[in-house]
Coordinates of all heavy atoms in Angstrom, one line a residue:
L26 N 0.8 -1.2 0.0 CA 0.0 0.0 0.0 C 0.9 1.2 0.0 O 2.1 1.2 0.4 CB -0.9 0.0 1.2 CG -2.0 -1.1 1.2 CD1 -1.7 -2.2 2.0 CD2 -3.3 -0.5 1.6
L27 N 0.3 2.4 -0.4 CA 1.0 3.6 -0.4 C 0.7 4.4 0.9 O -0.5 4.7 1.1 CB 0.6 4.5 -1.6 CG 1.4 5.8 -1.8 CD1 2.9 5.5 -2.1 CD2 0.8 6.6 -2.9
A28 N 1.6 4.6 1.8 CA 1.4 5.4 3.0 C 1.7 6.8 2.6 O 2.7 7.2 2.0 CB 2.4 5.0 4.1
V29 N 0.7 7.7 3.0 CA 0.8 9.1 2.6 C 0.7 9.9 3.9 O -0.3 9.8 4.6 CB -0.3 9.5 1.6 CG1 -0.2 11.0 1.3 CG2 -0.2 8.6 0.4
S30 N 1.6 10.8 4.1 CA 1.6 11.7 5.3 C 0.5 12.7 5.0 O 0.4 13.2 3.9 CB 2.9 12.4 5.5 OG 2.8 13.4 6.5
T31 N -0.3 13.1 6.0 CA -1.3 14.1 5.8 C -0.6 15.5 6.1 O -1.3 16.5 6.0 CB -2.4 13.9 6.8 OG1 -1.9 13.9 8.2 CG2 -3.2 12.6 6.5
R32 N 0.6 15.6 6.4 CA 1.4 16.8 6.6 C 2.0 17.2 5.3 O 2.4 16.4 4.5 CB 2.4 16.7 7.7 CG 1.9 16.1 9.0 CD 0.8 16.9 9.6 NE 0.3 16.3 10.7 CZ -1.0 16.2 11.0 NH1 -1.9 16.6 10.1 NH2 -1.5 15.6 12.1
C33 N 2.1 18.5 5.1 CA 2.6 19.0 3.8 C 4.1 19.0 3.6 O 4.6 19.0 2.5 CB 2.1 20.5 3.6 SG 0.3 20.5 3.4
E34 N 4.8 19.0 4.7 CA 6.3 19.2 4.6 C 7.0 17.9 4.1 O 6.5 16.8 4.3 CB 6.9 19.6 6.0 CG 6.7 18.5 7.1 CD 5.4 18.6 7.8 OE1 4.6 19.5 7.6 OE2 5.3 17.7 8.7
E35 N 8.1 18.1 3.5 CA 9.0 17.0 3.1 C 10.2 17.2 4.0 O 10.4 18.2 4.6 CB 9.4 17.1 1.7 CG 8.2 16.8 0.8 CD 8.5 16.8 -0.7 OE1 9.6 17.3 -1.1 OE2 7.7 16.3 -1.5
L36 N 11.1 16.2 4.0 CA 12.3 16.3 4.9 C 13.5 16.0 4.2 O 13.6 15.1 3.4 CB 12.1 15.2 6.0 CG 13.2 15.2 7.1 CD1 13.1 16.4 8.0 CD2 13.0 14.0 7.9
D37 N 14.5 16.8 4.4 CA 15.8 16.6 3.8 C 16.6 15.8 4.8 O 16.8 16.3 6.0 CB 16.6 17.9 3.4 CG 16.0 18.5 2.2 OD1 15.6 17.8 1.3 OD2 15.8 19.8 2.2
D38 N 17.1 14.7 4.5 CA 18.0 13.9 5.4 C 19.4 14.4 5.2 O 20.1 13.9 4.3 CB 17.8 12.4 5.1 CG 18.8 11.6 5.9 OD1 19.1 12.0 7.0 OD2 19.2 10.5 5.4
E39 N 19.9 15.3 6.0 CA 21.2 15.9 5.8 C 22.3 15.2 6.6 O 23.4 15.6 6.4 CB 21.1 17.4 6.2 CG 20.1 18.2 5.4 CD 20.0 19.6 5.9 OE1 20.8 20.1 6.7 OE2 19.1 20.3 5.3
D40 N 22.0 14.2 7.3 CA 23.0 13.5 8.1 C 24.0 12.7 7.2 O 25.0 12.4 7.7 CB 22.3 12.5 9.1 CG 21.5 13.2 10.1 OD1 21.8 14.4 10.4 OD2 20.6 12.6 10.6
D41 N 23.6 12.4 6.0 CA 24.4 11.6 5.1 C 25.3 12.4 4.2 O 26.0 11.9 3.3 CB 23.6 10.7 4.3 CG 22.9 9.6 5.1 OD1 23.5 9.3 6.2 OD2 21.9 9.1 4.7
G42 N 25.4 13.7 4.4 CA 26.3 14.6 3.5 C 26.0 14.5 2.1 O 24.9 14.8 1.6
D43 N 27.0 14.0 1.3 CA 26.8 13.8 -0.2 C 25.7 12.9 -0.5 O 25.2 12.9 -1.6 CB 28.1 13.4 -0.8 CG 29.1 14.5 -0.7 OD1 28.8 15.7 -0.6 OD2 30.3 14.1 -0.8
N44 N 25.3 12.0 0.4 CA 24.3 11.0 0.1 C 22.9 11.4 0.6 O 22.0 10.6 0.6 CB 24.6 9.6 0.7 CG 25.9 9.1 0.1 OD1 26.1 9.2 -1.0 ND2 26.7 8.4 1.0
A45 N 22.8 12.7 0.9 CA 21.5 13.2 1.4 C 20.4 13.0 0.4 O 20.6 13.1 -0.8 CB 21.6 14.7 1.8
E46 N 19.3 12.7 0.9 CA 18.1 12.5 0.0 C 16.9 13.2 0.6 O 16.8 13.5 1.8 CB 17.8 11.0 -0.1 CG 17.5 10.3 1.2 CD 17.3 8.8 1.1 OE1 16.5 8.4 0.3 OE2 18.1 8.1 1.7
E47 N 16.0 13.6 -0.3 CA 14.8 14.2 0.2 C 13.7 13.1 0.4 O 13.5 12.3 -0.5 CB 14.3 15.2 -0.9 CG 13.1 16.0 -0.4 CD 12.7 17.1 -1.4 OE1 13.4 18.1 -1.5 OE2 11.7 16.9 -2.0
L48 N 13.2 13.1 1.6 CA 12.2 12.1 1.9 C 10.8 12.7 1.6 O 10.5 13.7 2.1 CB 12.2 11.6 3.3 CG 13.6 11.0 3.7 CD1 13.6 10.7 5.2 CD2 13.8 9.7 3.0
G49 N 10.1 12.1 0.7 CA 8.8 12.7 0.3 C 7.7 12.3 1.3 O 8.0 11.8 2.4
R50 N 6.5 12.7 0.9 CA 5.4 12.5 1.8 C 4.7 11.1 1.7 O 3.7 10.8 2.2 CB 4.3 13.5 1.5 CG 4.7 14.9 1.9 CD 3.6 15.9 1.6 NE 2.3 15.4 2.1 CZ 1.2 15.5 1.4 NH1 1.2 16.1 0.2 NH2 0.0 15.1 1.9
E51 N 5.4 10.2 0.9 CA 4.8 8.9 0.7 C 5.9 7.8 0.6 O 7.0 8.1 0.2 CB 3.9 8.9 -0.5 CG 4.5 9.3 -1.7 CD 3.6 9.7 -2.8 OE1 2.7 10.5 -2.7 OE2 3.7 9.1 -3.9
F52 N 5.5 6.6 0.9 CA 6.3 5.4 0.7 C 5.4 4.2 0.6 O 4.2 4.3 1.0 CB 7.4 5.3 1.7 CG 6.9 5.0 3.1 CD1 6.6 3.7 3.6 CD2 6.6 6.1 4.0 CE1 6.1 3.5 4.9 CE2 6.1 5.9 5.2 CZ 5.8 4.6 5.7
R53 N 5.9 3.1 0.2 CA 5.1 1.9 0.1 C 5.4 1.0 1.3 O 6.5 1.1 1.8 CB 5.3 1.1 -1.2 CG 5.0 2.0 -2.4 CD 4.7 1.2 -3.6 NE 3.4 0.6 -3.6 CZ 2.2 1.2 -3.9 NH1 2.2 2.4 -4.2 NH2 1.1 0.5 -3.8
L54 N 4.5 0.2 1.7 CA 4.7 -0.8 2.8 C 3.8 -2.0 2.6 O 2.8 -1.9 2.0 CB 4.5 -0.1 4.2 CG 3.1 0.1 4.7 CD1 3.1 0.4 6.1 CD2 2.4 1.2 3.9
L55 N 4.2 -3.1 3.2 CA 3.5 -4.3 3.1 C 2.2 -4.2 4.0 O 2.2 -3.5 5.0 CB 4.3 -5.5 3.6 CG 5.5 -5.8 2.7 CD1 6.2 -7.0 3.4 CD2 5.1 -6.1 1.3
P56 N 1.1 -4.8 3.6 CA -0.1 -4.8 4.4 C 0.1 -5.1 5.9 O -0.5 -4.6 6.8 CB -1.0 -5.8 3.7 CG -0.6 -5.8 2.3 CD 0.9 -5.7 2.4
S57 N 1.0 -6.1 6.1 CA 1.3 -6.5 7.5 C 1.9 -5.4 8.4 O 1.9 -5.5 9.6 CB 2.2 -7.7 7.5 OG 3.4 -7.4 7.0
L58 N 2.3 -4.3 7.8 CA 3.0 -3.2 8.5 C 2.0 -2.0 8.7 O 2.4 -1.0 9.3 CB 4.3 -2.8 7.9 CG 5.3 -3.9 7.8 CD1 6.5 -3.4 7.0 CD2 5.7 -4.3 9.2
V59 N 0.9 -2.0 8.1 CA 0.0 -0.9 8.1 C -0.4 -0.5 9.6 O -0.3 0.6 10.0 CB -1.3 -1.2 7.3 CG1 -2.4 -0.2 7.6 CG2 -1.0 -1.1 5.8
H60 N -0.8 -1.5 10.3 CA -1.3 -1.2 11.7 C -0.1 -0.8 12.6 O -0.3 0.2 13.4 CB -2.0 -2.4 12.3 CG -3.2 -2.8 11.5 ND1 -4.4 -2.1 11.5 CD2 -3.4 -3.8 10.6 CE1 -5.2 -2.6 10.7 NE2 -4.7 -3.6 10.1
L61 N 1.0 -1.4 12.5 CA 2.2 -1.0 13.3 C 2.5 0.4 13.0 O 2.8 1.2 13.9 CB 3.3 -2.0 13.0 CG 4.7 -1.5 13.6 CD1 4.7 -1.9 15.1 CD2 5.8 -2.3 12.9
T62 N 2.6 0.8 11.7 CA 2.9 2.1 11.3 C 1.9 3.1 11.8 O 2.2 4.1 12.5 CB 3.0 2.2 9.8 OG1 4.0 1.2 9.3 CG2 3.4 3.6 9.3
H63 N 0.6 2.8 11.6 CA -0.4 3.7 12.0 C -0.4 4.0 13.6 O -0.5 5.1 14.0 CB -1.8 3.2 11.6 CG -2.9 3.9 12.3 ND1 -3.3 5.2 11.8 CD2 -3.7 3.6 13.3 CE1 -4.3 5.6 12.6 NE2 -4.6 4.7 13.5
V64 N -0.4 2.9 14.3 CA -0.4 3.1 15.8 C 0.8 3.8 16.3 O 0.7 4.7 17.1 CB -0.6 1.7 16.5 CG1 -0.3 1.8 18.0 CG2 -1.9 1.1 16.2
N65 N 2.0 3.5 15.8 CA 3.2 4.2 16.2 C 3.1 5.7 15.9 O 3.6 6.6 16.7 CB 4.4 3.6 15.7 CG 4.9 2.4 16.5 OD1 5.5 2.6 17.6 ND2 4.6 1.2 16.0
L66 N 2.5 6.1 14.8 CA 2.3 7.5 14.4 C 1.3 8.1 15.3 O 1.4 9.2 15.8 CB 2.0 7.6 13.0 CG 3.1 7.3 12.0 CD1 2.6 7.3 10.6 CD2 4.3 8.2 12.1
A67 N 0.2 7.4 15.5 CA -1.0 7.9 16.3 C -0.6 8.2 17.8 O -1.0 9.2 18.3 CB -2.1 7.0 16.3
I68 N 0.3 7.4 18.3 CA 0.7 7.6 19.7 C 1.9 8.5 19.9 O 2.4 8.8 21.0 CB 0.8 6.3 20.5 CG1 2.0 5.5 20.0 CG2 -0.5 5.5 20.6 CD1 2.3 4.2 20.8
G69 N 2.5 8.9 18.7 CA 3.7 9.7 18.8 C 5.0 9.0 19.1 O 6.0 9.6 19.4

């Protein structure tokens, strides 16, 4: 499934220097990880 953040911001991962990448507002995950991801985000 496609996990989509409801927040507008994107994040630059600057810790990797030359390998820095921009993390977008979405990524894919297996169905078995939907609940784990949701609950961890919901409880902060």
Side-chain angles (χ1 to χ4, degrees):
L26 290 102
L27 186 65
V29 179
S30 172
T31 58
R32 308 300 175 229
C33 293
E34 65 273 0
E35 293 182 346
L36 182 71
D37 287 320
D38 176 28
E39 298 177 8
D40 295 334
D41 292 335
D43 291 335
N44 295 325
E46 60 187 300
E47 186 174 287
L48 299 174
R50 291 182 46 224
E51 57 193 56
F52 64 90
R53 300 202 77 78
L54 76 167
L55 296 179
S57 61
L58 298 174
V59 165
H60 299 286
L61 173 75
T62 303
H63 169 74
V64 169
N65 277 285
L66 293 172
I68 65 174

